[in-house]
Amino acid sequence: MRYFWVSVLTVTFVVSSSIAQRPSKPSSTKIHHNLQKLNFLGTALYVAAHPDDENTRLISYLSNHDKARTAYLSITRGDGGQNLIGSELRELLGVLRTQELLAARRVDGGKQWFTRANDFGFSKHPNETLKIWDKEQVLGDMIWAIRNLKPDVIINRFDHRTPGTTHGHHTASAMLSLEAFDLANDPNAYPEQLEQTSTWQPKRAFFNTSWWFYGSRENFEKADKSNMLKLDTGVYYPALGVSNNEIASVASSQHLCQGFGRLTTRGSQDEYVELLKGDLPASDNLFDGINTTWSRVEGGKAVGDILYKVEENFDFTNPSKHIPELVKAYQLLQNVKDAHWRTLKSQELQELIMDCAGLYLEANAASASTTPGGTAKINIEAVNRSPQSILLKSVQLIDSETSLNPNILLENNKKENLSLEFTVSETANTSGPYWLNKPWSLGMYVVENEKMIGKPETPSAFSVQFILDFDGVEIGFDKPVIRRYSKPDTGELYEPFVVLPEATSSIAEKVLIFSDSASKEVLVSVKAGKDNVSGAVSLKHSSGWTVLPKSISFSIAKKGQEQPIIFKVTPPENDSEGKIMPIVKIGDKVYDKELVEIAYYHIPKQSVLLPSEAKVVRMNIEKTGEHIGYIMGAGDKVPESLKQIGYQVHTIDPNDIQAGTLDKYDAVVVGIRAYNVVDALKFKQPLLFDYVEKGGNLIVQYNTAGRWSKPYKDIAPYSLTLSRDRVTDETAKVSIVASDHALVNFPNMIKESDFDGWVQERGLYFPKEWSSEFTPILSMGDEGEAPTEGSLLVAPYGEGHYIYTGLSFFRELPAGVSGAYKLFANMLSIGKSEVKKESNVKG
């Protein structure tokens, strides 16, 4: 009796489906569709810079029309963007956007790949980008992707020939892609990679062009297209019941944190690709002239002879009749010498055999998490929903001695339930995004295990292998251990099964501002990763700061419960910045991580372990007023930051704004991108302006140009035109051009040094034109560009003041930038200096 199996978690590629999503339940037409993909031996690689850069129409077309294995290489995880659906930013946003990419690929049928590059924010030129990214590492990661994916064709989303006309990351992705195209086949380039993979030469490189790159549709109509291919990506798939552009719309809509939710579309839609390298195909087929049949690999013809016949004679009413043929093809496939195609097609063939048999194999943990040294129970379910004779020989926890040998015949539609219990190794790695395991730089993440580079996510903590016997042929099927459960108000849910520490700790406020020398109580929350956890917590702190008491004991009875612990923190007398870090001791073990859970309906729950710490800032800051109204936009932490310096912040629902309801506030602040995402605001502008006219202070933070349905002049009481102008260098020189204005003098004196220590950028989407009523306060510009004065504008209106600012306070305040706090306090206090003078005179 021969034994064949292939692990799902291979070195050469990573499975696109999430480790904790609902299992696929394909219809017979979808099974046939997947069979057609199995019989296509060709690969396309799409390359761009960020999540949501990818053209889902083309990815879906190549995957579902051409049936090619299609991957998207996103250079970054989108860490530097904004978030329309929550408060996650930076590395946590990268985790969220990674999962949104995987959700998109589950829809359009593509695969997903990354490099180690960190999205540090907007970049105006690829030269700047490649100074911050480690070019050699990113180029090496792209070559690693090409050598592992072995694409026949590579398609760039952006034009390598137009540096400075778009995001520097965009152009850099195209430039590096073309360089990698040539170097991937050079054994002298990154030779250390060849211990794990082999050289590869793609056949063709294209640029996915469109009228947008030509400035107008008219220019594109006139352009020479002799070196281009035109593809109708609006094709309809009768077997799937949808058109390609409908699939693409749904895939693109997975990028919800970037506001990409949209309607589905139908009908013909042309896409153009321009040949950059290689030979131009004779037809509008990117694979024309490339052998994509089973004869491509030595020994593959015998496999193809079986599978082509199954495809041609597929029985849609009884797919299980093909299982003997599929198993025979699987046996022959194991003799194919080409390890790349043998591994990939073995995975696909395994899935096809499962689907044809209606096989349901599940490893469901009794709880969502365990701890190193802890125990876990796994409930096993196996159902064969076909007349095919299938024997369940064994079930084994991979990389473990834990196993079962039931030797059960899986009868048609009879469910078999088993259980496994095991003890987790004391040295087991905790779960979480692998690229966040080591400290990272502004431009790059650190990944020590080369085999992990490129993978979209960390493989499941545990997997179970089911050994099934098909009339004497044994095949191993790997299934990740998941947690499946239900809630009365939501129904069936799936989560990853994760390994977490015995205890984690967190400080709710990531930045603690001390505006005087008074002590503050700091709340530390300790969360148990298992039952009956006890120990002590101390608060490590920077020099000059005092923490009392030195240690506090805790005891938590139940897993998942939290215990609040309060320390008294006293700042130094003078300005100072530092950190405080909770340290949890349980016996001789020390834990210093915080558990952050990211949970949205469109992605699997993510458990992220980060260093537990908070920034503490002692600053001398003055303010006036007390009650601030805040209209939330796309989500930010500015309200929490303002509370830190003593303001009472009241969240305002725009729908509740009526005449006079704003009068009680000393100032009203409109959150970032509010006019882009809050429809009600367009109807409330007269009431906001009325508030200002009667003496109120209105501060409007940045909005995205071109993404609001009304003219931008309606944002302000005077003419104001937004643009895409921005200053991306957070260290760019800032000049105060209105040095006598109250905005930089009351109640805090603002100096150019207050712009030291800013993070990621100065600001974005500055106005480019404004009426004479506005006074520009600051001037700034990136290297090589003329300074702009649109970052901070103030205008009197009636008895009050209107302020528009594109400065990135939504990044600076949560980061504890002292100068940003002082300037924002001055903005909130605008118009109050005269009131204070009058008060002093009367006093």
Side-chain angles (χ1 to χ4, degrees):
M1 190 179 298
R2 302 183 66 188
Y3 170 60
F4 300 99
W5 64 275
V6 61
S7 174
V8 171
L9 301 174
T10 64
V11 172
T12 55
F13 199 64
V14 64
V15 188
S16 67
S17 58
S18 171
I19 59 177
Q21 283 296 300
R22 298 176 182 275
S24 174
K25 301 173 183 178
S27 65
S28 59
T29 54
K30 185 61 186 293
I31 294 172
H32 184 258
H33 184 72
N34 291 338
L35 174 58
Q36 291 176 313
K37 288 186 175 185
L38 175 66
N39 282 334
F40 188 95
L41 279 69
T43 302
L45 177 62
Y46 198 88
V47 178
H50 312 104
D52 76 34
D53 280 348
E54 82 274 28
N55 184 341
T56 54
R57 291 186 299 274
L58 196 49
I59 290 175
S60 179
Y61 180 86
L62 293 168
S63 176
N64 296 299
H65 178 271
D66 289 353
K67 307 299 188 299
R69 175 169 166 262
T70 307
Y72 173 42
L73 172 58
S74 179
I75 305 301
T76 75
R77 296 176 185 268
D79 327 70
Q82 287 85 50
N83 184 355
L84 285 179
I85 63 174
S87 59
E88 294 86 4
L89 291 174
R90 289 305 309 152
E91 65 276 359
L92 293 178
L93 179 61
V95 175
L96 170 56
R97 296 187 72 181
T98 293
Q99 291 300 318
E100 289 187 335
L101 267 179
L102 287 171
R105 299 294 80 78
R106 286 191 291 273
V107 174
D108 60 32
K111 312 298 179 184
Q112 189 57 53
W113 201 274
F114 289 97
T115 76
R116 289 170 288 176
N118 190 344
D119 178 4
F120 56 83
F122 191 87
S123 173
K124 293 182 176 179
H125 199 281
N127 290 347
E128 177 197 22
T129 298
L130 297 175
K131 286 180 182 177
I132 298 175
W133 290 349
D134 184 322
K135 179 189 174 183
E136 291 306 308
Q137 282 192 15
V138 179
L139 178 61
D141 289 357
M142 297 181 77
I143 291 172
W144 172 255
I146 292 171
R147 286 172 171 175
N148 281 285
L149 294 168
K150 303 192 184 308
D152 300 294
V153 296
I154 295 178
I155 307 158
N156 291 341
R157 183 69 180 106
F158 299 104
D159 193 346
H160 66 287
R161 298 161 293 198
T162 56
T165 61
T166 183
H167 198 319
H169 297 182
H170 292 169
T171 311
S173 73
M175 293 167 62
L176 292 174
S177 175
L178 285 184
E179 195 170 348
F181 181 97
D182 294 326
L183 291 176
N185 200 38
D186 183 353
N188 297 313
Y190 301 91
E192 69 282 356
Q193 294 181 3
L194 301 180
E195 296 177 9
Q196 304 289 341
T197 186
S198 59
T199 58
W200 181 254
Q201 182 57 64
K203 304 295 192 299
R204 296 165 183 147
F206 297 94
F207 161 44
N208 183 196
T209 189
S210 72
W211 68 264
W212 189 87
F213 293 97
Y214 285 76
S216 70
R217 296 182 187 277
E218 291 75 19
N219 289 342
F220 189 58
E221 286 295 323
K222 300 174 186 176
D224 178 9
K225 298 183 179 62
S226 59
N227 204 36
M228 297 183 192
L229 303 181
K230 182 174 74 170
L231 313 172
D232 181 3
T233 58
V235 62
Y236 178 67
Y237 304 125
L240 302 179
V242 291
S243 60
N244 188 75
N245 38 17
E246 287 177 285
I247 294 173
S249 297
V250 175
S252 180
S253 290
Q254 303 308 305
H255 297 294
L256 294 180
C257 76
Q258 302 304 297
F260 272 57
R262 58 192 177 99
L263 291 171
T264 57
T265 60
R266 285 148 292 277
S268 293
Q269 189 161 7
D270 292 336
E271 284 288 341
Y272 289 85
V273 292
E274 176 189 354
L275 182 70
L276 301 176
K277 288 179 179 287
D279 61 310
L280 186 68
S283 68
D284 288 337
N285 180 340
L286 274 60
F287 292 90
D288 195 352
I290 299 172
N291 184 2
T292 58
T293 70
W294 277 102
S295 65
R296 176 174 191 160
V297 295
E298 184 181 350
K301 183 179 182 303
V303 178
D305 287 345
I306 296 173
L307 294 179
Y308 291 135
K309 187 177 294 186
V310 173
E311 178 184 340
E312 183 180 355
N313 301 304
F314 189 75
D315 189 335
F316 289 88
T317 61
N318 181 24
S320 67
K321 68 178 287 186
H322 301 294
I323 292 175
E325 299 160 284
L326 297 177
V327 170
K328 183 178 180 181
Y330 188 88
Q331 286 181 281
L332 292 172
L333 180 56
Q334 306 317 300
N335 297 322
V336 169
K337 294 181 180 179
D338 189 320
H340 173 73
W341 285 113
R342 183 180 68 244
T343 301
L344 291 174
K345 292 304 178 181
S346 291
Q347 293 173 9
E348 293 179 30
L349 194 44
Q350 280 185 302
E351 291 295 323
L352 200 69
I353 291 169
M354 282 190 61
D355 293 341
C356 285
L359 265 173
Y360 185 86
L361 304 175
E362 180 181 88
N364 179 22
S367 65
S369 67
T370 186
T371 60
T375 59
K377 179 181 179 181
I378 302 173
N379 298 311
I380 303 296
E381 180 178 332
V383 189
N384 166 28
R385 293 170 288 190
S386 78
Q388 173 69 34
S389 176
I390 302 175
L391 182 70
L392 175 59
K393 294 205 67 176
S394 66
V395 180
Q396 179 162 7
L397 189 69
I398 294 178
D399 297 328
S400 163
E401 298 299 319
T402 304
S403 64
L404 299 170
N405 297 287
N407 278 311
I408 299 172
L409 183 64
L410 297 179
E411 299 178 17
N412 191 355
N413 211 29
K414 180 183 177 182
K415 181 171 65 174
E416 298 292 346
N417 291 110
L418 307 167
S419 64
L420 280 172
E421 292 191 28
F422 67 99
T423 299
V424 181
S425 169
E426 291 279 359
T427 60
N429 293 326
T430 52
S431 300
Y434 68 88
W435 62 95
L436 300 180
N437 287 341
K438 297 288 183 180
W440 54 90
S441 68
L442 175 65
M444 298 296 298
Y445 286 110
V446 177
V447 181
E448 294 181 338
N449 183 353
E450 187 180 57
K451 294 180 181 180
M452 293 300 296
I453 293 173
K455 292 189 176 185
E457 59 185 347
T458 307
S460 177
F462 298 98
S463 291
V464 167
Q465 186 176 85
F466 295 77
I467 304 299
L468 301 182
D469 185 310
F470 296 83
D471 290 328
V473 178
E474 295 181 0
I475 303 178
F477 297 85
D478 293 358
K479 288 292 179 179
V481 177
I482 52 88
R483 168 62 174 157
R484 179 171 68 95
Y485 64 105
S486 67
K487 287 184 176 180
D489 58 342
T490 52
E492 188 174 62
L493 296 168
Y494 287 76
E495 286 185 14
F497 177 64
V498 295
V499 180
L500 300 176
E502 286 183 279
T504 54
S505 61
S506 64
I507 301 174
E509 301 292 346
K510 299 308 176 192
V511 175
L512 295 162
I513 306 297
F514 294 75
S515 56
D516 54 36
S517 59
S519 301
K520 282 188 178 183
E521 289 187 340
V522 174
L523 175 65
V524 175
S525 181
V526 178
K527 186 173 185 177
K530 66 177 187 178
D531 292 344
N532 300 315
V533 174
S534 61
V537 186
S538 59
L539 206 56
K540 187 177 179 181
H541 56 86
S542 300
S543 176
W545 295 75
T546 303
V547 174
L548 293 173
K550 293 190 178 299
S551 179
I552 300 176
S553 298
F554 71 90
S555 181
I556 305 175
K558 292 294 182 182
K559 173 181 176 179
Q561 289 183 340
E562 297 186 55
Q563 182 173 327
I565 296 173
I566 297 176
F567 290 92
K568 185 179 180 181
V569 177
T570 305
E573 287 292 329
N574 300 316
D575 288 359
S576 175
E577 291 188 4
K579 288 183 179 180
I580 52 175
M581 294 149 282
I583 304 297
V584 178
K585 289 188 177 181
I586 301 174
D588 59 353
K589 297 178 180 177
V590 176
Y591 301 98
D592 59 0
K593 291 292 192 292
E594 173 185 6
L595 173 63
V596 180
E597 294 181 334
I598 303 174
Y600 294 98
Y601 75 90
H602 64 305
I603 64 167
K605 180 181 176 182
Q606 298 297 296
S607 298
V608 185
L609 292 167
L610 296 173
S612 182
E613 61 185 27
K615 182 178 182 180
V616 287
V617 181
R618 167 73 170 95
M619 68 173 76
N620 290 309
I621 186 170
E622 300 288 339
K623 67 183 184 67
T624 63
E626 182 176 1
H627 294 279
I628 306 300
Y630 203 93
I631 301 173
M632 292 300 298
D636 59 58
K637 295 185 178 180
V638 172
E640 295 91 331
S641 300
L642 297 179
K643 292 175 184 178
Q644 289 268 7
I645 56 174
Y647 285 106
Q648 294 188 42
V649 183
H650 311 269
T651 302
I652 300 171
D653 183 342
N655 293 294
D656 295 337
I657 298 175
Q658 302 295 330
T661 58
L662 302 177
D663 296 347
K664 57 189 174 186
Y665 300 118
D666 295 300
V668 173
V669 182
V670 180
I672 61 172
R673 298 177 72 172
Y675 290 97
N676 301 137
V677 299
V678 182
D679 289 337
L681 270 180
K682 68 182 69 170
F683 306 111
K684 301 297 181 177
Q685 286 300 97
L687 295 174
L688 290 172
F689 295 156
D690 181 64
Y691 162 73
V692 179
E693 193 170 19
K694 292 189 295 184
N697 180 9
L698 179 64
I699 300 170
V700 176
Q701 297 180 83
Y702 97 93
N703 283 266
T704 309
R707 293 191 182 179
W708 188 38
S709 59
K710 292 178 70 65
Y712 274 98
K713 65 181 181 180
D714 293 346
I715 288 182
Y718 307 113
S719 176
L720 183 71
T721 304
L722 301 189
S723 72
R724 295 182 178 272
D725 289 350
R726 61 206 301 163
V727 176
T728 61
D729 182 358
E730 64 271 27
T731 66
K733 178 176 174 54
V734 176
S735 300
I736 301 173
V737 295
S739 57
D740 294 333
H741 199 282
L743 206 56
V744 290
N745 289 284
F746 179 83
N748 303 286
M749 181 71 71
I750 303 299
K751 302 176 183 178
E752 291 182 4
S753 59
D754 285 309
F755 294 92
D756 294 344
W758 283 49
V759 298
Q760 186 159 329
E761 62 199 354
R762 290 295 189 197
L764 59 171
Y765 292 99
F766 296 161
K768 64 178 179 181
E769 296 177 357
W770 52 85
S771 66
S772 60
E773 287 85 0
F774 285 101
T775 299
I777 305 298
L778 307 172
S779 174
M780 61 187 69
D782 284 318
E783 183 179 355
E785 296 183 356
T788 176
E789 297 185 349
S791 63
L792 180 57
L793 303 173
V794 58
Y797 183 69
E799 297 180 9
H801 291 81
Y802 175 93
I803 295 173
Y804 186 90
T805 180
L807 293 171
S808 58
F809 288 107
F810 72 103
R811 297 193 192 280
E812 313 312 322
L813 298 187
V817 178
S818 301
Y821 272 92
K822 293 178 182 178
L823 182 55
F824 210 98
N826 283 15
M827 291 161 54
L828 293 171
S829 303
I830 188 74
K832 305 293 192 302
S833 58
E834 295 301 321
V835 174
K836 188 170 183 178
K837 288 178 183 177
E838 291 177 10
S839 175
N840 290 338
V841 170
K842 291 177 182 178

